Amino acid sequence: MKISELKEKRIIRRATRSFDEWGNRIYNEFEYDFPYNPTHKGNETERLFAKVIDMIPFFMVFILIFHLPAILGIIFLFRV
């Protein structure tokens, strides 16, 4: 299933003009399906750290197995 196909169910309460016998407002509840939003504010640094963590194993392979200089390992890292 793709992220674009995910739906999030939310219940929206809307006030009516009616009141019950104790004077409390009566609400109607509606259930809607909203598209899932995978982002939140301030996640840019989280995504950057995740990318760096994902690159570390490739960098280590280039350095330790292929015996490349560190600068070439970094260059190849961004080409992968």
Side-chain angles (χ1 to χ4, degrees), residues 3 8-9 18 26 34-35 38 41 43 54 57 68 72 75:
I3 290 180
E8 184 177 18
K9 291 188 182 222
S18 304
I26 297 174
F34 289 102
K41 290 188 178 193
N43 74 337
D54 288 342
L68 295 175
L72 282 177
I75 291 171

Side-chain angles (χ1 to χ4, degrees), residues 2 5 9 28 42 51 53 55 65-67 76:
K2 297 179 185 175
E5 296 173 354
K9 291 188 182 222
N28 288 333
K51 287 181 184 184
I53 289 171
M55 288 183 191
I65 294 177
F66 295 124
H67 303 290
F76 286 142

Side-chain angles (χ1 to χ4, degrees), residues 58-77:
F58 290 109
F59 182 73
M60 298 304 286
V61 166
F62 290 140
I63 300 297
L64 298 176
I65 294 177
F66 295 124
H67 303 290
L68 295 175
I71 191 71
L72 282 177
I74 293 171
I75 291 171
F76 286 142
L77 233 145

Side-chain angles (χ1 to χ4, degrees), residues 5 7 10 14-15 21 26 29-30 36 40 53 56 59-60 63-64 66 69-70 72 75 79-80:
E5 296 173 354
K7 300 290 182 192
R10 291 189 205 159
R14 293 191 179 156
E21 61 268 6
I26 297 174
E29 291 186 354
F30 301 97
Y36 178 72
H40 60 278
I53 289 171
I56 289 174
F59 182 73
M60 298 304 286
I63 300 297
L64 298 176
F66 295 124
L72 282 177
I75 291 171
R79 298 198 75 201
V80 170

